[in-house]
């Protein structure tokens, strides 16, 4: 039971977070004034380009002007949460891989300067939207905001606190609020995101856990979930980008790598200062077995770093050199593989774990090169002539 519950928590938390190194901003009620609308657009642009301090400044200014608006509180909470994940190096790596290795090996050290405003905004959003629903249970904006607030809360509980039951409780509330909204207004397309996500994950679980959850009133369907998220990418408003990111993750888990890559390429064009998207494109090429294309994409990112392109100052160069080392090894270009692996230690983004993996791979390649040299030496020497 514990391992099955862990599987559900890991899968839902990863997908509720919305992306393999990607970010997601919930749909929100638009501000009334043109100046505030422009500020919101700038905040969203900063958010999707990993510029969290600028996004937080914009969202807090809007929130302070309208503190009882739960959508404004949700924007602030989401930006702080992603800043914490970004600072911890979580937005790239293995968080969204099928193995869920992140949940077994990493523990985020929370920055109190981020945790306090995050929880303050989340609790304010829930308090505000639930108060509005007491007055009017058909308030669509409040129903949506409550779902977003509980989804954000659940990802924090799942990823940061590792609280299985707290996570599940909040996640189910998020889903319930948006299901209620869709029953009232099936054209509120942004609200299909979380129910579609639930459908996909619950439909992907092992059969014993499916049966257990069925008796608890939960069931799902993978394809129905994918279609729900696709509907948000086509007809949603502020949640379109979030839906694209989720769709990428779903396609990855279904091994539809080419479909996932097409979506990420679109995201990369829309958010050129977000270096994570082109890295994901390269990773997807590798997953497709298109190693030459993957090498080209990783090399292009390194070139952007050298050119000091806007947004690329924090690129984890060490990780790229490691991936290029693996790819060139697979392509049997061992000398070039070694040159990349030798650059892992000391490069930006290097970690002790990555350096250990790199050192082990270097030893293997060096041993192979030595064997090749010995074999070449024997061949060049030729047979010993008889007396």
């Amino acid at each position: 039971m514990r391992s099955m519950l862990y599987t559900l928590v890991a899968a839902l938390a990863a997908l509720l977070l919305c992306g393999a190194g990607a970010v997601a901003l919930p749909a929100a009620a638009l501000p009334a004034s043109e100046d505030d609308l422009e500020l919101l657009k700038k905040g969203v642009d900063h958010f999707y380009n990993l510029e969290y301090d600028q996004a937080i400044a914009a969202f807090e200014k809007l929130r302070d002007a309208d503190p009882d608006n739960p959508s404004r509180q949700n924007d602030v909470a989401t930006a702080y949460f992603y800043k914490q994940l970004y600072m911890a190096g979580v937005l790239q790596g293995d968080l969204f891989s099928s193995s869920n290795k992140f949940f077994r090996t990493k523990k985020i050290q929370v920055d109190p300067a981020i945790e306090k405003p995050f929880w303050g905004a989340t609790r304010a959003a829930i308090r505000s939207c639930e108060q509005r629903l007491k007055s009017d249970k058909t308030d669509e904006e409040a129903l949506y905001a409550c779902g977003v607030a509980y989804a954000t809360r659940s990802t924090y509980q799942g990823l940061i606190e590792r609280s299985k039951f707290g996570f599940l409780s909040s996640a189910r509330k998020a889903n319930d609020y948006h299901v209620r909204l869709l029953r009232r207004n099936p054209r509120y397309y942004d609200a299909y995101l979380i129910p579609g996500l639930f459908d996909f994950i619950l439909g992907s679980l092992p059969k014993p856990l499916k049966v257990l959850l069925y008796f608890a009133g939960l069931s799902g369907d993978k394809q129905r979930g994918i279609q729900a998220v696709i509907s948000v990418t086509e007809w949603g408003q502020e949640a379109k980008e979030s839906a694209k990111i989720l769709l990428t993750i779903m396609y990855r888990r279904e091994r539809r790598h080419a479909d996932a890559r097409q979506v990420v390429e679109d995201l990369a064009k829309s958010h050129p200062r977000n270096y994570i998207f082109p890295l994901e494109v390269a990773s997807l090429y590798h997953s497709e077995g298109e190693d030459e294309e993957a090498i080209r994409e990783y090399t292009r990112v390194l070139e952007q770093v050298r050119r000091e392109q806007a947004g690329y100052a924090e690129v984890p160069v060490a990780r790229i050199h490691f991936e290029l080392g693996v790819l060139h090894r697979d392509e049997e270009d061992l000398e070039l593989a070694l040159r990349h692996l030798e650059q892992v230690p000391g490069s930006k983004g290097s970690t002790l774990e990555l350096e250990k993996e790199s050192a082990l791979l270097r030893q293997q390649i060096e041993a192979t090169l030595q064997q090749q040299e010995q074999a070449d030496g024997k061949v060049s020497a030729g047979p010993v002539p008889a007396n």
Side-chain angles (χ1 to χ4, degrees), residues 84 87-88 90 106-112 114 156 160 162:
Q84 176 65 80
M87 289 174 58
V90 171
K106 296 183 180 179
K107 179 71 172 179
I108 295 176
Q109 298 298 315
V110 180
D111 183 346
I114 294 177
Y156 188 94
I160 306 295
R162 309 293 172 90

Side-chain angles (χ1 to χ4, degrees), residues 132-268:
R132 285 172 55 171
L133 288 171
K134 286 180 181 178
S135 301
D136 180 7
K137 63 181 180 181
T138 65
D139 185 331
E140 294 182 2
E141 183 182 317
L143 284 168
Y144 187 84
C146 272
V148 170
Y150 275 107
T152 306
R153 179 174 170 175
S154 71
T155 54
Y156 188 94
Q157 291 170 317
L159 290 173
I160 306 295
E161 295 180 344
R162 309 293 172 90
S163 170
K164 300 179 180 66
F165 292 103
F167 165 81
L168 289 171
S169 175
S170 296
R172 187 166 185 177
K173 285 182 180 178
N175 185 60
D176 289 347
Y177 274 117
H178 283 194
V179 168
R180 283 172 56 188
L181 172 55
L182 290 171
R183 286 173 182 163
R184 173 170 176 76
N185 182 2
R187 294 182 179 274
Y188 203 120
Y189 290 107
D190 289 319
Y192 283 98
L193 197 61
I194 291 174
L197 172 59
F198 261 68
D199 245 352
F200 178 82
I201 286 297
L202 295 177
S204 303
L205 292 173
K207 188 173 182 179
L209 186 51
K210 279 185 183 179
V211 173
L212 180 65
L213 292 175
Y214 176 80
F215 287 108
L218 295 172
S219 62
D221 182 290
K222 286 196 297 184
Q223 295 309 312
R224 188 174 62 200
I226 290 174
Q227 288 304 313
V229 174
I230 289 175
S231 73
V232 185
T233 69
E234 294 177 346
W235 300 304
Q237 297 180 27
E238 283 78 13
K240 269 190 174 184
E241 301 300 270
S242 304
K244 290 177 184 177
I245 294 165
L246 274 175
L247 189 58
T248 301
I249 301 168
M250 291 174 169
Y251 283 154
R252 248 194 183 278
R253 288 173 176 263
E254 290 296 284
R255 301 189 183 279
R256 294 171 58 177
H257 302 301
D259 291 331
R261 179 171 49 78
Q262 289 178 6
V263 180
V264 179
E265 287 174 339
D266 179 58
L267 287 165

Side-chain angles (χ1 to χ4, degrees), residues 339-360:
R339 287 203 292 272
H340 280 289
L341 293 170
E342 287 166 355
Q343 295 181 70
V344 171
S347 292
K348 192 172 190 64
S350 183
T351 64
L352 181 60
E353 180 182 2
L354 187 61
E355 290 180 9
K356 287 180 178 178
E357 291 183 42
S358 179
L360 178 60

Side-chain angles (χ1 to χ4, degrees), residues 213-381:
L213 292 175
Y214 176 80
F215 287 108
L218 295 172
S219 62
D221 182 290
K222 286 196 297 184
Q223 295 309 312
R224 188 174 62 200
I226 290 174
Q227 288 304 313
V229 174
I230 289 175
S231 73
V232 185
T233 69
E234 294 177 346
W235 300 304
Q237 297 180 27
E238 283 78 13
K240 269 190 174 184
E241 301 300 270
S242 304
K244 290 177 184 177
I245 294 165
L246 274 175
L247 189 58
T248 301
I249 301 168
M250 291 174 169
Y251 283 154
R252 248 194 183 278
R253 288 173 176 263
E254 290 296 284
R255 301 189 183 279
R256 294 171 58 177
H257 302 301
D259 291 331
R261 179 171 49 78
Q262 289 178 6
V263 180
V264 179
E265 287 174 339
D266 179 58
L267 287 165
K269 291 177 183 177
S270 301
H271 310 291
R273 302 191 305 280
N274 186 329
Y275 63 81
I276 293 177
F277 291 134
L279 290 179
E280 183 69 6
V281 170
S283 175
L284 285 162
Y285 269 124
H286 185 36
S287 297
E288 291 178 72
E290 300 286 345
D291 286 357
E292 290 185 5
E293 293 296 324
I295 290 171
R296 177 175 58 81
E297 291 298 326
Y298 280 126
T299 303
R300 180 180 297 173
V301 174
L302 287 179
E303 181 60 27
Q304 302 288 45
V305 173
R306 283 192 286 268
R307 292 180 180 179
E308 299 183 347
Q309 176 168 316
Y312 278 62
E314 299 302 317
V315 169
V317 174
R319 168 62 67 177
I320 297 176
H321 282 304
F322 178 80
E323 296 295 343
L324 283 170
V326 172
L327 286 163
H328 284 298
R329 186 274 313 271
D330 293 344
E331 291 291 299
E332 298 185 354
D333 190 342
L334 301 186
E335 296 288 352
L336 188 52
L338 273 181
R339 287 203 292 272
H340 280 289
L341 293 170
E342 287 166 355
Q343 295 181 70
V344 171
S347 292
K348 192 172 190 64
S350 183
T351 64
L352 181 60
E353 180 182 2
L354 187 61
E355 290 180 9
K356 287 180 178 178
E357 291 183 42
S358 179
L360 178 60
L361 188 55
R362 286 206 318 268
Q363 291 175 2
Q364 293 171 351
I365 292 173
E366 288 167 352
T368 300
L369 287 171
Q370 187 175 19
Q371 291 173 0
Q372 290 178 353
E373 289 177 1
Q374 292 174 350
D376 290 343
K378 290 180 180 178
V379 171
S380 62

